[in-house]
Amino acid sequence: MAVTGCRFHPFSAQSFWPFVERNGLMRVRDPLADESLTSVFTELGLSQEICAQLGALWGKSRKVGGGQINLLVSHLLDTAAVAGQLWDFYLPQQTKRLLNHISDGQGRRFFMWLCAVHDCGKACPAFQSVDAEGAALVRAAGLTWVDRRLRRKRWRHDKAGGKLLHAVLGAEWDGKHTEWVWPLVAGHHRAFPSKAVLGSVEATGEHQGRGGWPTVQRALLDVVTRVMGYEHLRQVQPHVVPSRAEQLTLSALIVMADWIASDSRPGRFTGIDAIADVSPAGAKRRASAAVKSLRLRGGWGPLEEPPAEDLVRHRFGDRSRPFQKTLVDVVRQMPEPGLVLVEAPMGEGKTKGALAGAEVMAARFGSDGVFIGMPTQATSDPIYSQVCRWVAGFDEELVAQVALLHGKKMFHPEWKELWSARDGSPDAPFEGVDCDEFGMEDTYGLGGAVVSERSGPALWFLGRNRGLLTAFAVGTIDQLLFAATRTRHVMLRFAGLAGKVVILDEVHAADVYMSQFLTEALRWLGQARVPVILLSATLPPPQRRALVDAYLHGALPQEDVPLDHIPTPEGYPSITAAYAVEGRAAYICRSTGTWRRSQQVEVQWLEDVSDEGDVVADRVRREVTDGGVALVILNKVDRAQSVYQHLEASFPSQVHLLHGRLCAAHRAERTSACVATLGPGAQRPERMIIVATQVAEQSFDVDADLLVTDLAPIDLLLQRIGRLHRHEGIWRPEHLRRPRVLVTGAVPSASPLRVHPASEAIYGRYLLLRTAALVEEAVETTRKATSELKAGDGGWLIPAQVPELVAAGYGDDALCVPGIRDEEHKAYQEWREQEQNRAAAAEPFLLARRDEWSKPTLEGLHFTGISAREEQDLQALVRDGQSSLEAVIVRRVSGGYTALSGEPIGVHAEATEYAREAVLGGLTRLPAQLTEAARELAPLDGWRDDPWLRHFPAMVLEEDGWAHLGDYRVGYDSELGLIVRKTN
């Protein structure tokens, strides 16, 4: 049939359209260029009956269509039009290159077609019969079904669309392309089904449609194909099969376009119920207005590779340190995207070096932003501030595109300032946002009240699963781990990573359970060729190998390709780059000197395994009698609270307590105060003591004269030592001028070695034994140096010895300390068995199981997925150990309630917007032993209509100051934090 009314797309370097097809000249026109569907119907030679039936099929009922039915063909064209807008204003260059590669240069058109056909499965009886009003119109047009034969819940329109595409494309395309395209449609509602559903009873019966249904279904596909500028379906066939990870990214973009085009609010995509009113050009205008109104945008856009200059100095004003310059040089040498593993001492400037490297990677490989994953919420906050300053150097407007992704962001002052009203007017309510992963309508911590004039990221990104889709995101590493779980809508999380440079800090903090999700994520990122930078101060060699192997197994064409031995760094700091080129693994390994000299750290034992910590408190008291700054890091909250009380009695107002059972407001205030007082360039007090738990172990930029720490695995012990004499040019008391660490929480003189029970429960005995042996060796060298009047020559040389100490702590060599050596083998067997069990426990939740990784398509990805109940607490899913809950602590007083801070909140706790922040300041994580009893807690009655508070259980402290949970009495002290006492 001759094609009329077509326009040839002009050839240009920016927009290439192939003109030659196997069967002759391919005539193309701009997608969505037609002002009406009439010419398209005429070109296809559709009968009046088919045209009438296409004009009856509905896509959105009146209830969800903004008060008016939206025809199916209208919704499909709207979605295609949104896809075109996403291509123009949102998609990263890397994704555009992928789509162009798949379609032989027709990336934009092909992407629009994929999004257009996503809901083709709605053209079947199982869907069209759902709404009575719409069903009557369809039946009147001559398409019928038998209601009693339909089991609609068993045959959703997403599966129906997969079935339809599999059948139609199977007759037109090469089978290998049909097989990867149909799951994108079948899985666009949360999960990818197995191919078995295509042969189910529902797929072959009344649900899919008989009689005239196949004809109108094919006509629907032909219409949208022609509107996209193709003459027929054969011309749409891709030229390249993308990797499975790339398919996952494309599926997410289809979902994104669908969700935007499903917004039926006034000014967006209200229903169109007459076929005469549906036009491709009209859909284009609607999509343009909607995307502009939503303020959707990407990040950098195309970046020019920065010149070979001091990039750190250019971006941050600080002269590059040797390792930072080496890092940037290594990234410039990489011919392909890959993984860069950075190992450098604490305080070396890894974050700034990584951001400089990310800029080079983005320019070279087409990434449009960054995701920075930190181990905790507390460590995410300062990095968020740093990233905001960094992106401002590119464009001030980009600061508003930086998202902070964790559940306590509302306490971050810069985040609150970003979202404050520009004109000082009161907040207006906002609508149309569903729940995020924290169970709140308001992912960004806005308390459910925002107006369009705010300067933060587009409000569309506030919805559940969407946070990573912003151009620049800072949050906990959990965000990346979630993208490696077999959960519904996982594709959205993964796509948010796929267009970015991914930076993960403190990767050594991932235990064996979390590491299963981390390596799984790296496999998928490697297959999608996403640039990744991993940062660590201390990384055991086996963990280094596992991380690099995971990425390369994804990046290489076959997972079983043997990998060459990863080069071992010859110095410290070191940078190791790994990437795939021409089907083989390739490496770059560089070492460089540190910017500061290594220090001889004296190591001593301080024997004490008591919960009271009297010995620890007495020793610290003596050490700082004449002044100085001491940092005490203990492994149990109760032990830290007790030591704090002892020291506070001697040094009122000079002791600070920091741990995970403080309420959100107190923890944020104390962390900020400590960093402000003991951070770089701060005016230090004459005396100060910080008593903390593991929260002070990493990304805590304070400088201590003396460190007292419970025994921990060697890598974590070295992390804690990183706070000791951290900054240059600090005046210290004479007796504290040499860095010294006192290791407690153990009794090495006992046989067998005694260790505090809490430490063994957290870390296991084996790693503590090996660390104790290393500590004992250092203690002996310290003693020897002291006895020979060579103080300062014993202990550990830090950071120079960090790699060898970590390698020894996690190595296979037998321990040489009598007593410890005798029980090493038994402890190792127990530890090994526990590690294997923990790794196995994670496997059912991984995105792809071991025997599924080589699958070429997404078909069946969710065949046995994670239940909805498990998805409710994603953090518990990716972190091992006993789960714990958070509760908002409030106090009962005469006449009602107050927030934990004392702010009155009324008789029924009617927390006004003004008081909401004070109420949320009482958000506190409860210890694991309270989890079961705490499940009985619920929000207060006055919170049930509050968009934030209704999702938080309240723990009410009675007028005596205590609450009763199961077998425990629980209170809260403004200094000590949460107090837990067993009642029997």
Side-chain angles (χ1 to χ4, degrees), residues 549-587:
D549 281 2
Y551 187 92
L552 288 176
H553 280 143
L556 291 168
Q558 294 180 333
E559 188 185 11
D560 58 357
V561 172
L563 299 178
D564 296 333
H565 180 68
I566 299 172
T568 301
E570 296 180 356
Y572 185 69
S574 67
I575 297 98
T576 303
Y579 51 91
V581 59
E582 297 180 354
R584 294 181 64 253
Y587 307 96

Side-chain angles (χ1 to χ4, degrees), residues 10 33 42 71 91 196 282 339 369 404 432 531 550 571 574 707 728 851 857 861 933 953 963:
T42 301
L71 295 181
L91 293 191
L339 178 143
L404 180 58
S574 67
L707 174 68
E728 296 285 331
D851 60 346
T857 76
L861 185 66

Side-chain angles (χ1 to χ4, degrees), residues 675-685 701-703 726-730:
V675 173
T677 306
L678 301 178
Q683 186 68 37
R684 294 160 66 90
D701 194 5
V702 300
D703 179 293
R726 183 181 180 93
H727 302 141
E728 296 285 331
I730 301 296

Side-chain angles (χ1 to χ4, degrees), residues 188 224 306 318 339 372 416 433 439 455 470 535 661 664 695 737-738 873 933 943 957 966:
H188 81 272
V224 296
D318 304 324
L339 178 143
I372 302 181
K416 290 193 292 185
V433 177
S455 56
T470 52
L535 307 178
R661 290 191 209 163
V695 297
R737 288 187 178 175
R738 287 192 300 272
D873 192 353
W943 298 356
L957 303 182

